[in-house]
Amino acid sequence: MGKVSIGLRGWRFDEEEVFDDDGRIRPLGTMSEDTKRRVLRLTERITDPCDACWLIHGEANVAQCRPAEVIYGEPRGEVVLCREHEPDFVYWFREVADDDLIGTPDLGDAFHEWFLDGGRAPEGYGGVEHVDRDPEDVPEAPDPSEAMPGLEEELERVDDEDLDALDVDLDDLDV
């Protein structure tokens, strides 16, 4: 078993820490704090539109936004992007962003400010080439419009105080 993305490319998880033998989400209590925080944050962001599209079109025209396909950054400072805007983020991260933003919750806001100020990758900038290795050997990523297998049941067992401590908003989930 190896590293696997769930729902969105970018964040990589140890497959055996997240999934059981049946491809269902393991109990959150068995995951490391970082993995648990990322899995829970991913449940909040997996159906969101691309941040860059949303900055262009706004809440009033959210239907014009493309769905997010990739996630970068740390939980609560992450950026979710469509394929078309991913090169803008990669360019900004590699060429423009201050090194002191890496690993901080300020990364997302800093990218959003740069993008709103007209920042874009140069024409033809390649970005990141994603490679799928052995896609048949990992559990199938959930459909973003459907729940992650086993996650809703697991969330029902988690104490509200524990969720509050993780700073997770699950209001949009059907749990």
Side-chain angles (χ1 to χ4, degrees), residues 2-72:
K3 296 276 190 177
V4 61
S5 292
I6 304 171
L8 299 174
R9 291 184 321 271
W11 287 351
R12 309 274 293 159
F13 300 91
D14 286 322
E15 182 183 355
E16 57 193 21
E17 182 181 5
V18 177
F19 294 106
D20 65 18
D21 293 337
D22 297 326
R24 297 179 61 80
I25 298 287
R26 289 190 182 279
L28 293 171
T30 66
M31 297 177 192
S32 69
E33 288 302 312
D34 182 59
T35 297
K36 183 184 339 181
R37 188 172 36 257
R38 287 176 189 274
V39 166
L40 289 171
R41 185 62 177 154
L42 190 59
T43 64
E44 291 180 71
R45 297 300 315 261
I46 199 166
T47 59
D48 284 355
C50 166
D51 286 356
C53 288
W54 190 88
L55 291 169
I56 292 168
H57 301 292
E59 188 68 36
N61 297 308
V62 74
Q64 295 179 12
C65 299
R66 287 181 288 280
E69 296 179 48
V70 66
I71 187 166
Y72 289 111

Side-chain angles (χ1 to χ4, degrees), residues 73-79 100-111:
E74 297 300 316
R76 295 279 174 218
E78 75 281 338
V79 177
D100 60 344
L101 288 170
I102 297 171
T104 71
D106 297 329
L107 181 117
D109 288 340
F111 170 73

